[in-house]
Amino acid sequence: MSSTGMHVPDRHLRADLHMGADHSVITVVGELDSSSVEKFRDAVRRALIGGTRILVVDLGPITFLGSAGLAALMWTDKIGRRVDTSVRFVCPPENRLVSRPIELTGLAAYLALFPTQVDAAQWRLPHDGQV
């Protein structure tokens, strides 16, 4: 709410969804925290409703990753598993604002993390018939 009592739209996060033939990409730009997590979840829902089999979530442009954002990453992975979508997160090691919280919370051992979008999109599970 602004000082005038009017609702001010969330401007500190963008979750851009690009649906492709073989995979979809959500690029998350800005701050992923409790005030912006629903915008991110909406993009995930749109991708999954669209029937994507591989969802790449690019966290590279994130400037802040709060606890609600970390929970949203876990939710994304969990919901992806439920609908048989492979969720892959781009977490460039040089963006310590993203990689550090993921490492400290132990999520690095749980989430499928890749340094680039290309690496995430090209990786195949052993049961996909490719290595």
Side-chain angles (χ1 to χ4, degrees):
M1 299 289 259
S2 71
S3 59
T4 62
M6 296 178 59
H7 177 69
V8 177
D10 173 24
R11 299 183 202 280
H12 70 279
L13 179 95
R14 258 189 15 248
D16 300 328
L17 171 61
H18 301 281
M19 308 247 342
D22 59 343
H23 69 280
S24 296
V25 177
I26 298 173
T27 303
V28 187
V29 180
E31 300 176 2
L32 185 54
D33 58 18
S34 61
S35 67
S36 62
V37 73
E38 275 310 307
K39 185 181 285 189
F40 170 73
R41 286 182 176 204
D42 286 344
V44 171
R45 288 182 191 107
R46 285 193 316 271
L48 296 178
I49 288 170
T52 191
R53 304 313 307 155
I54 298 172
L55 177 59
V56 176
V57 180
D58 189 346
L59 305 173
I62 285 184
T63 57
F64 177 79
L65 182 59
S67 59
L70 291 165
L73 300 182
M74 289 295 299
W75 172 84
T76 300
D77 186 72
K78 183 178 178 179
I79 202 80
R81 290 173 194 265
R82 284 188 185 163
V83 299
D84 200 28
T85 295
S86 177
V87 178
R88 299 134 186 223
F89 297 91
V90 176
C91 181
E94 64 275 5
N95 185 346
R96 299 298 290 160
L97 298 172
V98 174
S99 60
R100 186 83 171 132
I102 289 173
E103 291 166 6
L104 288 174
T105 57
L107 291 180
Y110 182 76
L111 301 175
L113 301 173
F114 298 87
T116 69
Q117 279 190 25
V118 171
D119 292 328
Q122 291 180 345
W123 181 74
R124 300 284 181 245
L125 294 170
H127 70 270
D128 289 341
Q130 301 175 7
V131 179

